[in-house]
Amino acid sequence: MATLLRLTDHGLYCEAGDFHVDPWGAVPRAVVTHAHGDHVAWGCGSYLTTTSGLPPLRARLDRDARIRALAYGEAIVINGVRVSLHPAGHILGSAQVRMEYQGEVWVVSGDYKIDPDPTCAAFEPVRCHTFVTESTFGLPIYRWPPQQEVFAEINAWWRANQRAGKATLLFAYALGKAQRLLAGLDPSLGPIFTHGAVERMTQAYLAAGVQLPLTTHAATVERGADWSQALVLAPPSADGSPWTRRFGNQATGFASGWMLVRGARRRGALDRGFALSDHVDWPGLMAAIDATGASRIWVTHGYSSVVVRWLRERGLEAHLVQTRFEGERDDEERDADAAVASPEYP
Ligand SMILES: [Zn+2]
Ligand SMILES: [Zn+2]
């Protein structure tokens, strides 16, 4: 079986096509699954993304970065390799990369989830010979509760905070999770405000035509305002920062898949954790792998060794592929970067 991709110092490289997928550093040609910090390197000669992924990617990169966009399912040929992008259901514009060369089909999943999300196109299984899958939550303990229950819990918590006269500070990754939360919040409860990093990405979503409740950038509100009825969406990096002082008496919560496991609740000061993830859980991961029909699986980005062992026991050819980063944990780091790098959005 031909090896269409191999792992290099700069990440996954397609030799026949002479391009990288989600490279770790500056390369001539980058095919990007989505705009999260652990999938995008600065300084590449050119970038290929989806049409809906263009606004968030543009928000991450230099203004003069060369970005080409494809509609989902549209194909181009790069040095003889047929490349197309297919919905991954992770965040706005997120894609699986399908590569076909001399009859061999490879798919790189990027980050993905199966659960429906009104802020992005639904995950689409793509048949292939080799599937390169993420495994951020690749342990059998990870099974997501129904998201309607999580949203109901968040809205109930917001109401309880209002009754107690406290501002509601909800921390979530600025790109993707924050907008998915927005779509699940009940805007009839009160006003919704954003931290600058969230505001910037929310604007990118609006630019791509996603419908979201009205929000106000918190920095535009005068000092001394009453925040007791408000919900404020901010990146995890803002938790405990001087920026939060303006909201006075407050309750804090964090929405992330890591909140499913109590031990993952870092920063003990948080009042609440909500288990909401933009990655597949264990049953979703296994179902997605099955649906590809692939006989060879490369596992990356998370609890890879557990997933590899599991797949091998089921008779599949599975390999562990190292990554530089570990999924959502790093989006968080990059949120901090984004907040620092955009002084216009404090
Ligand atoms: Zn991601
Ligand atoms: Zn990731």
Side-chain angles (χ1 to χ4, degrees):
M1 220 193 278
T3 295
L4 195 46
L5 289 176
R6 63 184 171 86
L7 194 64
T8 68
D9 289 347
H10 288 101
L12 290 173
Y13 176 60
C14 176
E15 186 142 31
D18 191 22
F19 60 84
H20 286 78
V21 180
D22 290 353
W24 303 336
V27 297
R29 271 172 300 281
V31 179
V32 175
T33 61
H34 65 291
H36 273 152
D38 54 327
H39 296 259
V40 178
W42 274 280
C44 294
S46 68
Y47 299 85
L48 184 69
T49 185
T50 60
T51 312
S52 51
L54 193 59
L57 184 62
R58 185 61 78 189
R60 277 266 190 232
L61 295 170
D62 298 331
R63 271 172 228 280
D64 55 355
R66 280 182 53 209
I67 310 176
R68 175 170 178 185
L70 291 181
Y72 283 126
E74 185 186 345
I76 55 164
V77 176
I78 307 176
N79 300 320
V81 179
R82 191 173 188 274
V83 177
S84 54
L85 305 173
H86 304 266
H90 175 57
I91 62 167
L92 177 67
S94 63
Q96 306 174 74
V97 183
R98 181 187 187 276
M99 287 147 287
E100 183 175 349
Y101 184 64
Q102 296 178 348
E104 272 296 304
V105 179
W106 286 55
V107 170
V108 175
S109 73
D111 294 342
Y112 65 101
K113 73 171 177 290
I114 311 289
D115 285 348
D117 177 343
T119 66
C120 65
F123 175 86
E124 215 173 74
V126 183
R127 305 283 296 179
C128 56
H129 300 105
T130 304
F131 185 47
V132 183
T133 183
E134 67 134 320
S135 59
T136 305
F137 291 102
L139 287 180
I141 53 162
Y142 287 108
R143 285 160 205 268
W144 306 139
Q147 57 181 318
Q148 298 86 330
E149 282 175 21
V150 179
F151 287 125
E153 252 179 72
I154 294 171
N155 286 317
W157 172 63
W158 183 8
R159 274 194 299 272
N161 294 335
Q162 289 176 322
R163 283 194 295 271
K166 289 180 181 179
T168 298
L169 266 65
L170 182 55
F171 299 107
Y173 305 114
L175 170 56
K177 188 67 61 62
Q179 292 74 30
R180 185 178 173 204
L181 282 166
L182 255 180
L185 288 172
D186 179 356
S188 73
L189 294 182
I192 303 171
F193 294 90
T194 51
H195 177 280
V198 172
E199 180 64 23
R200 193 154 67 121
M201 289 307 174
T202 301
Q203 291 302 328
Y205 269 60
L206 295 172
V210 178
Q211 301 280 323
L212 294 171
L214 184 70
T215 56
T216 306
H217 184 195
T220 64
V221 178
E222 68 219 44
R223 296 267 162 176
D226 174 15
W227 297 94
S228 66
Q229 302 303 299
L231 183 142
V232 186
L233 272 171
S237 54
D239 181 22
S241 75
W243 178 84
T244 59
R245 284 188 207 133
R246 71 188 72 190
F247 305 111
N249 196 9
Q250 56 192 252
T252 54
F254 183 30
S256 163
W258 302 111
M259 294 299 103
L260 193 69
V261 180
R262 269 180 171 273
R265 216 175 281 181
R266 317 137 308 127
R267 304 185 185 95
L270 281 170
D271 299 313
R272 290 290 297 270
F274 301 100
L276 188 74
S277 176
D278 286 332
H279 296 265
V280 272
D281 61 2
W282 177 264
L285 179 66
M286 292 305 144
I289 290 171
D290 271 354
T292 64
S295 56
R296 179 159 61 181
I297 316 293
W298 283 14
V299 186
T300 183
H301 217 68
Y303 293 102
S304 313
S305 54
V306 176
V307 177
V308 164
R309 216 177 319 135
W310 183 275
L311 294 174
R312 283 182 181 163
E313 279 167 17
R314 294 174 58 212
L316 289 163
E317 184 194 338
H319 303 277
L320 190 150
V321 180
Q322 293 294 341
T323 32
R324 281 257 290 261
F325 304 107
E326 275 189 41
E328 275 195 284
R329 281 182 182 121
D330 298 286
D331 298 339
E332 190 181 339
E333 307 297 316
R334 297 302 286 268
D335 271 331
D337 288 351
V340 171
S342 57
E344 73 270 33
Y345 283 120

